[in-house]
Amino acid sequence: MESWFKTCCICILLVFSFVTPTYSCFIEIHWRIFITNTITDNIVAHVQSGDDDLGNHTIPFNTNYSWEFCRRMDRRTLYFGSFWWGSKFQTFDLYNKDIDRFYHTSDARDDNCYWLVRPDGFWISRRNLAFPDSWNIMRSWTN
Ligand SMILES: *[C@@H]1O[C@H](CO)[C@@H](O)[C@H](O)[C@H]1NC(C)=O
Ligand SMILES: *[C@@H]1O[C@H](CO)[C@@H](O)[C@H](O)[C@H]1NC(C)=O
Protein backbone atom coordinates (compact mmCIF):
# COMPACT_ATOMS: atom_id res chain seq x y z
CA MET A 1 0.00 0.00 0.00
CA GLU A 2 1.26 3.46 -0.84
CA SER A 3 2.34 5.30 2.27
CA TRP A 4 0.36 8.45 1.36
CA PHE A 5 -2.72 6.24 1.19
CA LYS A 6 -2.04 4.82 4.67
CA THR A 7 -1.48 8.30 6.04
CA CYS A 8 -4.67 9.48 4.43
CA CYS A 9 -6.68 6.60 5.92
CA ILE A 10 -5.23 7.23 9.37
CA CYS A 11 -6.10 10.93 9.10
CA ILE A 12 -9.67 10.16 8.07
CA LEU A 13 -10.06 7.72 10.96
CA LEU A 14 -8.65 10.28 13.39
CA VAL A 15 -11.03 12.96 12.15
CA PHE A 16 -14.02 10.63 12.53
CA SER A 17 -12.93 9.53 15.98
CA PHE A 18 -13.24 13.18 17.03
CA VAL A 19 -16.49 14.06 15.29
CA THR A 20 -18.25 10.77 16.04
CA PRO A 21 -20.29 10.99 19.23
CA THR A 22 -20.41 8.30 21.93
CA TYR A 23 -23.02 6.38 19.94
CA SER A 24 -20.99 5.30 16.95
CA CYS A 25 -22.38 6.58 13.70
CA PHE A 26 -19.84 6.83 10.90
CA ILE A 27 -20.84 9.66 8.59
CA GLU A 28 -24.55 9.46 9.30
CA ILE A 29 -26.25 11.86 11.70
CA HIS A 30 -26.85 10.52 15.17
CA TRP A 31 -30.38 11.11 16.45
CA ARG A 32 -31.76 10.66 19.93
CA ILE A 33 -35.52 10.92 20.36
CA PHE A 34 -37.02 11.63 23.77
CA ILE A 35 -40.60 10.92 24.77
CA THR A 36 -41.70 12.61 28.00
CA ASN A 37 -44.94 11.60 29.65
CA THR A 38 -46.67 14.54 31.37
CA ILE A 39 -49.90 12.62 32.02
CA THR A 40 -50.37 11.76 35.71
CA ASP A 41 -50.78 8.13 34.78
CA ASN A 42 -48.65 5.41 33.21
CA ILE A 43 -48.73 5.23 29.44
CA VAL A 44 -47.38 2.39 27.28
CA ALA A 45 -45.27 3.19 24.23
CA HIS A 46 -44.20 0.81 21.49
CA VAL A 47 -41.57 2.22 19.11
CA GLN A 48 -40.56 0.37 15.98
CA SER A 49 -39.08 0.70 12.52
CA GLY A 50 -38.97 -1.77 9.64
CA ASP A 51 -36.02 -3.60 11.14
CA ASP A 52 -35.92 -2.46 14.76
CA ASP A 53 -38.67 -3.31 17.24
CA LEU A 54 -38.05 -1.71 20.63
CA GLY A 55 -41.00 -3.45 22.26
CA ASN A 56 -43.51 -2.16 24.79
CA HIS A 57 -42.34 0.28 27.41
CA THR A 58 -44.29 1.74 30.29
CA ILE A 59 -43.52 5.45 30.73
CA PRO A 60 -44.57 6.66 34.20
CA PHE A 61 -45.68 10.24 34.87
CA ASN A 62 -42.89 12.82 34.47
CA THR A 63 -40.28 10.46 33.08
CA ASN A 64 -38.54 10.10 29.74
CA TYR A 65 -38.14 7.22 27.41
CA SER A 66 -35.53 7.66 24.66
CA TRP A 67 -33.81 5.74 21.93
CA GLU A 68 -31.07 6.55 19.44
CA PHE A 69 -30.01 5.59 15.95
CA CYS A 70 -27.82 6.58 13.03
CA ARG A 71 -29.87 8.11 10.25
CA ARG A 72 -29.61 6.19 7.00
CA MET A 73 -27.76 8.09 4.26
CA ASP A 74 -30.76 7.81 1.95
CA ARG A 75 -32.94 9.34 4.71
CA ARG A 76 -35.32 6.42 4.66
CA THR A 77 -35.03 5.87 8.41
CA LEU A 78 -38.52 5.81 9.88
CA TYR A 79 -39.71 5.04 13.39
CA PHE A 80 -43.34 4.95 14.37
CA GLY A 81 -44.90 4.68 17.79
CA SER A 82 -48.07 3.25 19.23
CA PHE A 83 -49.34 4.65 22.52
CA TRP A 84 -51.86 3.42 25.03
CA TRP A 85 -53.36 5.51 27.84
CA GLY A 86 -56.18 3.61 29.50
CA SER A 87 -58.72 3.10 26.72
CA LYS A 88 -57.11 5.74 24.51
CA PHE A 89 -54.73 4.88 21.71
CA GLN A 90 -52.74 6.55 18.95
CA THR A 91 -50.15 5.53 16.37
CA PHE A 92 -48.06 7.76 14.08
CA ASP A 93 -44.50 8.48 12.88
CA LEU A 94 -42.15 9.70 15.61
CA TYR A 95 -39.28 10.15 13.16
CA ASN A 96 -39.33 10.28 9.37
CA LYS A 97 -37.73 12.39 6.65
CA ASP A 98 -40.17 15.31 7.13
CA ILE A 99 -39.47 15.40 10.85
CA ASP A 100 -35.78 15.23 10.01
CA ARG A 101 -36.14 18.19 7.65
CA PHE A 102 -38.08 20.37 10.10
CA TYR A 103 -36.37 19.39 13.34
CA HIS A 104 -32.75 18.84 12.32
CA THR A 105 -30.54 21.56 13.73
CA SER A 106 -28.34 22.56 10.79
CA ASP A 107 -24.71 21.53 11.23
CA ALA A 108 -25.52 19.24 14.13
CA ARG A 109 -24.12 15.73 13.73
CA ASP A 110 -25.68 14.77 16.98
CA ASP A 111 -29.31 15.80 17.11
CA ASN A 112 -32.18 15.49 19.56
CA CYS A 113 -35.91 15.58 19.03
CA TYR A 114 -38.46 15.76 21.82
CA TRP A 115 -42.02 14.49 22.08
CA LEU A 116 -44.26 15.58 24.91
CA VAL A 117 -47.25 13.38 25.68
CA ARG A 118 -50.09 15.36 27.22
CA PRO A 119 -53.80 14.66 27.83
CA ASP A 120 -54.58 16.83 24.77
CA GLY A 121 -52.15 14.95 22.51
CA PHE A 122 -48.61 14.62 21.21
CA TRP A 123 -46.35 17.68 20.86
CA ILE A 124 -42.96 17.91 19.18
CA SER A 125 -39.99 20.26 19.53
CA ARG A 126 -36.34 20.34 18.63
CA ARG A 127 -35.58 21.77 22.07
CA ASN A 128 -36.76 20.66 25.45
CA LEU A 129 -38.13 24.02 26.64
CA ALA A 130 -40.83 24.57 29.24
CA PHE A 131 -44.25 23.98 27.68
CA PRO A 132 -45.63 25.61 25.51
CA ASP A 133 -42.48 27.40 24.20
CA SER A 134 -41.49 25.95 20.82
CA TRP A 135 -43.84 22.94 21.03
CA ASN A 136 -46.12 22.02 18.12
CA ILE A 137 -49.06 19.68 18.42
CA MET A 138 -48.94 16.84 15.91
CA ARG A 139 -51.67 14.39 17.02
CA SER A 140 -54.43 14.06 19.56
CA TRP A 141 -55.48 10.86 21.28
CA THR A 142 -58.17 8.84 19.55
CA ASN A 143 -61.65 8.93 21.20
C1 LIG B 1 -48.28 -3.56 24.34
O1 LIG B 1 -49.11 -2.94 25.29
C2 LIG B 1 -50.46 -2.79 24.86
C3 LIG B 1 -51.21 -1.96 25.90
O2 LIG B 1 -51.02 -2.44 27.19
C4 LIG B 1 -51.07 -4.16 24.61
O3 LIG B 1 -52.42 -4.01 24.16
C5 LIG B 1 -50.25 -4.88 23.57
O4 LIG B 1 -50.75 -6.19 23.37
C6 LIG B 1 -48.79 -4.95 24.02
N1 LIG B 1 -47.99 -5.51 22.93
C7 LIG B 1 -47.05 -6.42 23.16
C8 LIG B 1 -46.30 -6.88 21.96
O5 LIG B 1 -46.81 -6.85 24.28
C1 LIG C 1 -35.92 14.20 29.87
O1 LIG C 1 -34.66 14.25 29.25
C2 LIG C 1 -34.23 15.57 28.92
C3 LIG C 1 -32.94 15.48 28.15
O2 LIG C 1 -31.99 14.77 28.86
C4 LIG C 1 -34.09 16.37 30.19
O3 LIG C 1 -33.72 17.69 29.88
C5 LIG C 1 -35.42 16.39 30.93
O4 LIG C 1 -35.27 17.04 32.15
C6 LIG C 1 -35.93 14.98 31.17
N1 LIG C 1 -37.27 15.06 31.71
C7 LIG C 1 -37.69 14.28 32.69
C8 LIG C 1 -39.10 14.46 33.11
O5 LIG C 1 -36.95 13.45 33.25
Side-chain angles (χ1 to χ4, degrees):
M1 208 189 290
E2 298 280 351
S3 71
W4 63 265
F5 184 72
K6 275 188 202 159
T7 311
C8 204
C9 287
I10 290 166
C11 283
I12 287 169
L13 285 175
L14 273 176
V15 165
F16 277 112
S17 71
F18 283 111
V19 299
T20 304
T22 47
Y23 189 87
S24 56
C25 297
F26 190 53
I27 50 174
E28 310 95 330
I29 287 170
H30 167 241
W31 275 93
R32 186 176 188 113
I33 315 288
F34 290 86
I35 302 170
T36 307
N37 176 23
T38 67
I39 297 174
T40 54
D41 208 350
N42 285 349
I43 62 166
V44 174
H46 186 177
V47 175
Q48 57 192 314
S49 68
D51 57 5
D52 196 10
D53 186 339
L54 305 180
N56 268 5
H57 280 270
T58 298
I59 314 178
F61 169 56
N62 224 11
T63 61
N64 280 328
Y65 168 59
S66 73
W67 82 100
E68 55 194 331
F69 55 89
C70 301
R71 184 188 74 187
R72 283 173 51 143
M73 294 302 286
D74 60 9
R75 297 189 178 223
R76 287 180 61 207
T77 305
L78 186 152
Y79 278 90
F80 65 98
S82 302
F83 295 86
W84 291 265
W85 171 32
S87 62
K88 294 177 189 289
F89 175 77
Q90 186 53 281
T91 184
F92 57 96
D93 286 356
L94 294 169
Y95 174 87
N96 60 27
K97 64 175 179 347
D98 295 325
I99 290 171
D100 184 286
R101 188 175 318 125
F102 290 118
Y103 294 94
H104 174 53
T105 305
S106 62
D107 298 343
R109 296 199 28 83
D110 207 4
D111 227 336
N112 292 340
C113 179
Y114 301 89
W115 284 96
L116 205 56
V117 184
R118 294 168 39 89
D120 61 356
F122 301 84
W123 299 69
I124 190 173
S125 176
R126 77 170 67 166
R127 285 180 297 159
N128 194 28
L129 300 179
F131 186 83
D133 282 351
S134 86
W135 294 92
N136 294 311
I137 190 155
M138 299 290 273
R139 278 290 191 292
S140 53
W141 289 93
T142 54
N143 70 59

